[in-house]
Amino acid sequence: MASEPPLLFVLDLAGTFAFALNGALTAVRAVRLDIVGVVTLGMITALGGGTVRDVLLDALPPATFVDLRYLAVAAIGALIAFGLSFRLERLAMPITVLDAIGLSVFAVIGAHKGFELGFGVVQSVIVGAITGVGGGTIRDVVIGRIPTVLRSELYAIPALLGAAGFAAAHGVGYGGVGAALGAAAVCFVVRMLGVRFDLHAPRPPGRRRHGGSDDLAG
């Protein structure tokens, strides 16, 4: 995003790198893929949300294809995950933290771009959340599993809170870097609390977990 403040742009690239690592590592864990498959899934995770955002906002061509630094950073992150996959398995928590950072940054930057292009509060919050969760959702669909955002943990909710926090600050005339960092921090904290205490979004009444899957109770 050429019009992003420099710090937000750096954070955007950091989030891209973190998501590429996380997406490629998920591919290594979940399915047996070769280097092409692992790198592809890493790049989908890193770039998918932003691409969907730009399509929804009619900001074409997507930033990913205008600034090749996004593609380069995503590819590097995915290749690192492939080459060091066995070591990265022992770094599950650091990867989770990086993923939370990516989620937080992307949610806020998505909302920022919505406002920048003249969209309203609701639209900007929605595209912010989509930016955060979109890449991982596409990745999960590609490998044939129900997207994580729909079935476990606090993931979409932190993204919505981060985007909404930035929208609130923007609404009172303060939509700068400080507001973006504050909103991203809210998203990050809520996400990590969900990880730490195994918190989940509410589920339908009368269901319990058996062996990692939801079954009807009683």
Side-chain angles (χ1 to χ4, degrees), residues 114-151:
F115 285 120
E116 184 180 67
L117 294 177
F119 287 86
V121 172
V122 174
Q123 295 93 331
S124 296
V125 170
I126 290 173
V127 296
I130 288 173
T131 306
V133 308
T137 299
I138 296 171
R139 174 204 64 209
D140 288 345
V141 170
V142 169
I143 64 176
R145 71 181 188 184
I146 298 173
T148 301
V149 67
L150 299 179
R151 62 183 168 83

Side-chain angles (χ1 to χ4, degrees), residues 49-61:
T51 300
V52 172
R53 173 204 65 208
D54 289 349
V55 170
L56 290 175
L57 296 177
D58 198 26
L60 302 175

Side-chain angles (χ1 to χ4, degrees), residues 73-153:
V73 168
I76 290 169
L79 285 169
I80 289 174
F82 178 83
L84 302 178
S85 58
F86 294 108
R87 295 182 181 180
L88 287 173
E89 285 285 353
R90 297 195 294 269
L91 298 175
M93 183 51 68
I95 293 297
T96 298
V97 171
L98 285 172
D99 180 68
I101 292 172
L103 176 72
S104 306
V105 170
F106 278 16
V108 171
I109 286 177
H112 173 270
K113 187 162 188 178
F115 285 120
E116 184 180 67
L117 294 177
F119 287 86
V121 172
V122 174
Q123 295 93 331
S124 296
V125 170
I126 290 173
V127 296
I130 288 173
T131 306
V133 308
T137 299
I138 296 171
R139 174 204 64 209
D140 288 345
V141 170
V142 169
I143 64 176
R145 71 181 188 184
I146 298 173
T148 301
V149 67
L150 299 179
R151 62 183 168 83
S152 67
E153 301 180 353

